[in-house]
Amino acid sequence: MPYIANTPEQQTEMLRAIGTDLEGLFADIPSALRCAGLKVASGLPEQDVRRRMAVVADRNRADLVGFLGGGFYDHFVPAAVSAIVSRSEFATSYTPYQPEISQGVLQAIYEYQSAICRLTGMEVSNASLYDGGTALYEAIMMALRVTGRRRVVVDDSVSPIYRTMVRTYTRNLGIELVETSSRIGLADREALARVINDQTAAVAVQNPNFFGCLDDFSDVAELAHRHGALLIASAYPVSLGIVKTPGAMGADLVVGEGQSLGMPLSFGGPYLGFMAARKEHVRKMPGRIAGRTVDAQGRQGFVLTLQAREQHIRREKATSNICTNQGLCALTALVFMSLLGKQGFRELALSCAEKASYAAQRLQAIPEVRMRFGKRWFFNEFVLELPVAADRVIRRLLEKGFAAGFPLGRYYPHMEKSLLVAVTEKRTKEEIDLFAHTLEVSL
Amino acid sequence: MRVIFDKSVPGRIGVRPSRQTGCPPPHIEPKLLREQPAALPELSEMDVVRHFTGLSRRNFGLDLGFYPLGSCTMKYNPKLNERVAALPGFAELHPLLPQLPTGERLVQGALAVLHDMDRLLSEICGMAAFTLQPLAGAHGELTGVMMIAAYHKERGNRKTTLLIPDSAHGTNPASAAIAGYEVRAIPSDADGRMDVAALKDALDASVAGLMMTNPNTLGLFEPRVREIADLVHSVDGLMYYDGANLNPLLGRCRPGDMGFDLVHINLHKTFSTPHGGGGPGAGPVGVSAKLVDFLPVSLVKERPDGSFFLDYDCPKSIGYIAPFYGNFGIVLRAYAYLLSLGKEGLLRVSEHATLNANYLKERLKPFYDLPKPGVCKHECVFSAKRQVVHGVHALDLAKALIDRGFHPPTVYFPITIPEAIMIEPTETESKETLDAFIEAMIEIAKLAETNPEEIVSCPKTTVVGRLDETRAARQPDLASLD
């Protein structure tokens, strides 16, 4: 039997030691509750499982040349990332409850927290959350705890995927969720000024936003702070290789999707939610946090700390219910950032921006195709306005082997002709040229 | 070991990203750019590999030895499952593809896995349907509690309270509270089971439901679970099953047949996916027929022609709880595991998980206080009561086990047992491993009587001794900042 070590002889011996038979081990389950037999197929040998799953995997089109982003990006993952992360000392350990034999994971969490702080320009980070959407929800809940208020403003240039999630989680909690409409691709300052008031707990924005546009939210942070509200910024970590940090803009909480830091797209997960904050708010943070301390001999060591916030101590009074988070994904992000390093990470961002800028140039040269948001600055994703419905173009390009981008009409009903195009460092100039040519002849 | 930032050498670079010649430099307004590059470490690829290999050697994992952490089901994580999840057809699949026109055609393999997994888990748990979206066990709990709220809202019920046994995992009350419910604790009786009389007293019209595990956190099966379910249903409450302890029931007994309306399971426990030092896991939620309409958007469905599609037309749904379809890579691993086990394999899991736990319990009973005797399921809970009189506490026993090469059991949980030592061996461990652990536990018990100082000064073999947690909390050093 797969993954069972005891032999029948050992089983007999063990039952004798217990003083029962097999039936006796389950005598406490009333017969009315026993299951007659599952309708499940028989098990398969490893080779057969491999073959079968390879066939299933081949029924997916993971080979398309991808210009699809929408917050989830096809970045190159260096070989050393998986070599390190797949080490079973990391992969097969539990949450580090016994620090003396978990220094590897605990130090890695501390280093991850440090890297996230350095990347975002913030002072503290937690050990990870599930994904960018739940991270935004947790940040909103945290802002409610910090301010004691119930009103939250979210701009509609924040990922619609995250906004629908936030709506689900806050529905029954008596939270007033106000959405502002962006204007020509950016958060509308006048609209924000109209709705931010002294009851507002937080204002949530995103940079680059869902349309790929870059913004500087320093003025929004000031406006929020004037009313005693927090600024929550959702960020795309790779962009922070060159883009101004949310910390420098005055954000109080920074969250985001960390998938781009070395995780495969993997049809939606596992990904990584990250959260960073200003030091003063750390005791209101959700999730695990590692800290540096010493043992009796003065040797440096790491522990999970500030646990009085957490569910296993505080139960219904905890700051969050989170227990298992995305430990190995946080390690992946740390290894990815360490391999690229200070210079490489900047170059990665530059490479994305260069190729995107080249692609934008090529694509807007096509007759009747223009940049929807004119001269707005972008990082590696931008919106093309097509002469026909984006769906039509996407369908034609799929036939030619391209995932052309995301049709914004899915979430923004007045944008049927808008195509959100993402370019990462993985796309070559040749692919971009061929993409532009194919798009032109498909119109 | 020095933190990685302290090893940085200015100008050194590990992996250089691909740059294209012929692309002009990007033109972005300077005020939108950062002034200095992020102060990430500057190291060669080998420096980085050595740093993390060094860290890995300071960490205990399941592949190194016995990991009997109660309530966590640290069973072997088959390597096959990692290979399956890494197949490019899965790993490189963009989650937004199905939202493109004709996009479903591009992901039929992935949808087939999700659909089949839904069917398999539904059959194993006796439920009508599963959502695979919840990203961890506690996330599954929150999803389940939100469905409970949606059910009562539709029926016009005014429900404010969830009942939770005092021995429950901390996530249960936390999830209930986060979803807006008050929590009322139900005590255990002298046998360690739920006190049904106390449950009757606590039941009133305000009760939205009851969250429980079975077997409970003491490893004991609750034989009166049907009666409990009938009581909760009598006030139109719903029964929520925390699947952390499902392992000893596989193929033998199903939560649906016990009267549960909602179930979450932990793929990183019962279904062998690696825990990763704190995730990623996955917490699929199954529901009975009366709750199917409230499942999160979207649902994977099959057409008569055998193709699969994502159904977004779910008007009563609680909404979107995850960005896409869950931790797909984790679901894949669990799916490969189920294909390997099959019907017979599932029965062997529950059989050997229960056998191993009872064997440990019987062999250790003469040396440690066993508060609730009798047959257990996947785990047994001792108390360090007898050792405490010598000044040796559960934590000290745990540290002594570390010096003997074992990961300690869970200690101080469940909170209803003072000085609890909660041991879950799982089915994948052999009798030799259990015997070695038993010998170590017996030696420690004897030492606790004859030379308690030896125990309280453990661990001595580790890279650090017991760490100053008070200092960590009072003078927090949470990041190395530039």
Side-chain angles (χ1 to χ4, degrees):
Chain A
M1 210 36 75
Y3 318 127
I4 300 281
N6 291 326
T7 63
E9 291 72 28
Q10 287 182 315
Q11 185 170 3
T12 310
E13 225 180 299
M14 292 165 81
L15 284 168
R16 200 177 309 129
I18 300 167
T20 185
D21 55 10
L22 262 185
E23 175 48 35
L25 290 179
F26 296 97
D28 51 348
I29 305 181
S31 54
L33 296 181
R34 304 282 184 97
C35 165
L38 296 178
K39 293 185 204 70
V40 172
S42 294
L44 298 172
E46 173 164 349
Q47 185 183 326
D48 298 9
V49 175
R50 278 280 289 279
R51 188 185 306 130
R52 178 160 159 183
M53 294 309 291
V55 171
V56 177
D58 280 345
R59 292 173 62 203
N60 295 321
R61 289 295 307 278
D63 58 327
L64 299 163
V65 179
F67 293 89
L68 183 57
F72 310 91
Y73 301 97
D74 180 24
H75 287 289
F76 178 75
V77 180
V81 173
S82 60
I84 291 168
V85 172
S86 62
R87 285 189 69 89
S88 66
E89 297 88 340
F90 293 127
T92 71
S93 61
Y94 204 77
T95 300
Y97 291 135
Q98 296 289 343
E100 298 90 342
I101 44 170
S102 308
Q103 283 302 299
V105 162
L106 285 162
Q107 183 168 336
I109 296 173
Y110 177 88
E111 291 175 356
Y112 161 82
Q113 290 169 183
S114 307
I116 291 292
C117 289
R118 288 165 180 236
L119 192 62
T120 56
M122 302 300 283
E123 293 166 329
V124 290
S125 153
N126 72 6
S128 79
L129 297 165
Y130 306 131
D131 81 299
T134 55
L136 179 60
Y137 146 72
E138 289 279 12
I140 287 173
M141 298 305 285
M142 182 172 160
L144 301 182
R145 287 193 293 277
V146 169
T147 60
R149 300 174 181 179
R150 308 297 291 172
R151 180 184 162 93
V152 177
V153 175
V154 184
D155 190 67
D156 79 352
S157 62
V158 172
S159 167
I161 297 169
Y162 299 167
R163 284 184 288 122
T164 53
M165 288 169 67
V166 167
R167 276 199 289 274
T168 300
Y169 290 116
T170 54
R171 189 170 292 158
N172 299 322
L173 303 181
I175 294 166
E176 190 192 353
L177 209 57
V178 183
E179 283 199 5
T180 45
S181 299
S182 53
R183 210 177 141 266
I184 322 175
L186 291 186
D188 181 354
R189 303 312 203 255
E190 284 172 23
L192 286 172
R194 274 196 298 274
V195 295
I196 296 171
N197 60 28
D198 292 347
Q199 277 80 54
T200 306
V203 184
V205 292
Q206 181 177 316
N207 194 43
N209 64 27
F210 192 70
F211 310 118
C213 299
L214 285 169
D215 205 341
D216 181 345
F217 291 112
S218 304
D219 59 327
V220 182
E222 257 173 59
L223 177 65
H225 293 158
R226 226 170 20 246
H227 290 280
L230 304 188
L231 183 76
I232 300 172
S234 181
Y236 169 20
V238 166
S239 76
L240 293 174
I242 54 171
V243 168
K244 185 169 179 177
T245 66
M249 295 178 195
D252 302 280
L253 294 173
V254 181
V255 291
E257 175 52 66
Q259 173 270 327
S260 58
L261 300 173
M263 276 142 268
L265 287 162
S266 190
F267 204 50
Y271 291 168
L272 166 70
F274 66 88
M275 176 186 270
R278 305 221 170 268
K279 213 186 299 183
E280 63 195 279
H281 301 314
V282 70
R283 283 169 206 276
K284 299 269 198 273
M285 251 188 156
R288 313 278 187 196
I289 298 175
R292 176 152 58 174
T293 184
V294 291
D295 70 3
Q297 293 175 44
R299 288 177 294 190
Q300 163 190 280
F302 300 85
V303 292
L304 292 177
T305 192
L306 306 179
Q307 297 193 67
R309 304 164 294 112
E310 293 189 63
Q311 48 79 24
H312 61 286
I313 309 282
R314 295 295 301 279
R315 298 175 79 84
E316 64 268 26
K317 294 187 182 67
T319 56
S320 164
N321 69 335
I322 198 163
C323 180
T324 288
N325 46 95
Q326 304 289 108
L328 206 63
C329 301
L331 177 69
T332 304
L334 170 65
V335 173
F336 182 86
M337 288 188 274
S338 303
L339 281 168
L340 286 156
K342 183 177 180 177
Q343 199 49 40
F345 201 80
R346 182 172 174 275
E347 283 189 30
L348 168 63
L350 279 172
S351 180
C352 291
E354 280 162 9
K355 290 182 178 183
S357 155
Y358 175 73
Q361 236 176 63
R362 287 296 317 258
L363 291 162
Q364 64 186 315
I366 300 168
E368 293 185 273
V369 173
R370 62 178 183 88
M371 297 289 278
R372 163 123 195 175
F373 299 122
K375 296 234 179 297
R376 294 289 190 222
W377 308 103
F378 60 88
F379 170 61
N380 76 331
E381 202 165 16
F382 51 86
V383 180
L384 282 187
E385 191 67 1
L386 304 170
V388 296
D391 271 0
R392 228 170 94 186
V393 176
I394 290 168
R395 205 177 305 130
R396 286 184 189 159
L397 281 158
L398 279 173
E399 288 161 15
K400 309 267 167 60
F402 291 96
F406 189 76
L408 281 177
R410 284 281 175 285
Y411 292 112
Y412 302 87
H414 55 293
M415 292 190 167
E416 275 99 27
K417 293 180 181 172
S418 303
L419 179 68
L420 182 65
V421 177
V423 188
T424 69
E425 80 289 355
K426 263 177 95 171
R427 298 288 71 83
T428 63
K429 185 163 172 287
E430 292 69 33
E431 284 172 338
I432 295 168
D433 289 340
L434 189 60
F435 175 54
H437 171 76
T438 314
L439 194 142
E440 181 165 7
V441 299
S442 302
L443 287 175
Chain B
M1 231 170 102
R2 283 188 298 159
V3 297
I4 195 163
F5 302 95
D6 297 340
K7 297 178 176 176
S8 187
V9 178
R12 195 173 278 172
I13 184 161
V15 175
R16 181 151 252 145
S18 153
R19 298 286 286 275
Q20 190 83 46
T21 46
C23 282
H27 186 52
I28 299 173
E29 192 183 14
K31 84 167 187 112
L32 296 171
L33 299 177
R34 69 187 298 159
E35 285 169 10
Q36 294 293 327
L40 296 173
E42 295 178 85
L43 298 165
S44 71
E45 178 171 333
M46 189 178 75
D47 292 337
V48 175
V49 168
R50 284 202 179 143
H51 176 76
F52 287 103
T53 305
L55 285 187
S56 76
R57 290 166 57 115
R58 298 159 79 90
N59 215 68
F60 190 92
L62 185 53
D63 285 2
L64 283 168
F66 191 40
Y67 214 125
L69 201 59
S71 227
C72 301
T73 316
M74 293 296 281
K75 62 172 71 181
Y76 174 64
N77 310 136
K79 304 305 170 196
L80 157 68
N81 305 346
E82 302 304 309
R83 293 291 285 268
V84 167
L87 286 168
F90 295 126
E92 293 171 16
L93 198 61
H94 199 292
L96 281 169
L97 281 177
Q99 294 198 37
L100 304 185
T102 72
E104 274 156 9
R105 282 196 233 151
L106 310 170
V107 297
Q108 282 297 304
L111 296 185
V113 169
L114 293 172
H115 189 265
D116 204 24
M117 194 63 173
D118 165 13
R119 294 293 86 220
L120 275 168
L121 295 179
S122 295
E123 173 66 13
I124 290 167
C125 295
M127 306 308 285
F130 261 83
T131 173
L132 303 174
Q133 288 184 39
L135 303 169
H139 196 220
E141 292 175 22
L142 179 57
T143 304
V145 174
M146 289 194 296
M147 282 193 268
I148 292 175
Y151 168 86
H152 289 305
K153 193 171 181 186
E154 193 196 49
R155 294 172 66 87
N157 292 342
R158 283 178 191 278
K159 303 281 196 179
T160 52
T161 308
L162 278 170
L163 306 179
I164 298 175
D166 56 2
S167 60
H169 301 118
T171 48
N172 291 176
S175 301
I178 279 157
Y181 281 103
E182 282 163 33
V183 173
R184 200 176 294 162
I186 306 296
S188 310
D189 66 13
D191 287 341
R193 267 83 176 185
M194 185 181 290
D195 184 336
V196 178
L199 170 66
K200 284 179 187 164
D201 288 344
L203 268 182
D204 58 34
S206 75
V207 170
L210 169 72
M211 297 178 85
M212 68 185 283
T213 55
N214 193 16
N216 64 23
T217 54
L218 291 165
L220 304 174
F221 193 82
E222 299 270 5
R224 295 173 75 181
V225 61
R226 281 247 46 145
E227 183 188 345
I228 292 167
D230 290 344
L231 283 168
V232 172
H233 288 147
S234 73
V235 297
D236 202 12
L238 295 171
M239 287 285 286
Y240 183 95
Y241 182 85
D242 174 337
N245 301 345
L246 182 66
N247 210 40
L249 303 188
L250 290 176
R252 297 173 190 279
C253 178
R254 311 191 303 171
D257 300 335
M258 296 183 221
F260 286 96
D261 304 292
L262 305 100
V263 174
H264 93 259
I265 54 182
N266 302 76
L267 297 187
H268 49 288
K269 294 180 179 177
T270 317
F271 297 96
S272 85
T273 72
H275 198 271
V285 173
V287 293
S288 60
K290 66 181 171 190
L291 293 170
V292 167
D293 287 350
F294 304 110
L295 284 168
V297 202
S298 58
L299 297 169
V300 183
K301 293 193 175 160
E302 188 173 9
R303 292 199 183 85
D305 67 0
S307 66
F308 300 97
F309 70 102
L310 288 160
D311 190 358
Y312 291 91
D313 184 19
C314 317
K316 290 187 190 171
S317 165
I318 56 165
Y320 292 80
I321 59 132
F324 299 106
Y325 328 101
N327 276 342
F328 181 70
I330 304 299
V331 173
L332 267 176
R333 288 169 172 87
Y335 182 66
Y337 176 68
L338 281 172
L339 291 182
S340 303
L341 286 187
K343 181 181 170 175
E344 269 301 298
L346 286 165
L347 281 167
R348 295 291 85 78
V349 167
S350 48
E351 179 181 311
H352 286 265
T354 307
L355 175 73
N356 283 353
N358 279 281
Y359 179 71
L360 275 178
K361 173 178 63 78
E362 290 303 316
R363 295 275 324 264
L364 290 176
K365 205 163 64 175
F367 305 92
Y368 291 90
D369 180 67
L370 182 67
K372 310 294 172 193
V375 68
C376 66
K377 293 273 81 61
H378 61 303
E379 64 195 358
C380 53
V381 180
F382 288 95
S383 164
K385 233 160 88 179
R386 283 196 227 163
Q387 286 71 36
V388 168
V389 294
H390 305 291
V392 173
H393 293 264
L395 186 68
D396 303 316
L397 299 170
K399 303 304 182 196
L401 278 167
I402 288 175
D403 277 344
R404 285 153 183 82
F406 299 101
H407 193 285
T410 297
V411 288
Y412 302 107
F413 183 81
I415 52 180
T416 50
I417 302 293
E419 295 285 334
I421 306 168
M422 185 193 215
I423 311 175
E424 180 179 14
T426 84
E427 76 281 2
T428 57
E429 299 295 341
S430 66
K431 179 172 177 294
E432 306 92 272
T433 302
L434 303 183
D435 284 338
F437 177 74
I438 290 162
E439 289 314 313
M441 285 288 283
I442 293 172
E443 188 231 325
I444 291 166
K446 289 181 177 161
L447 209 53
E449 287 176 23
T450 56
N451 191 0
E453 291 74 30
E454 266 300 298
I455 305 289
V456 297
S457 58
C458 290
K460 293 168 193 150
T461 58
T462 46
V463 291
V464 289
R466 296 194 200 189
L467 290 157
D468 188 344
E469 305 209 7
T470 310
R471 172 180 155 142
R474 296 235 174 104
Q475 302 157 250
D477 171 2
L478 309 176
S480 151
L481 301 176
D482 50 315

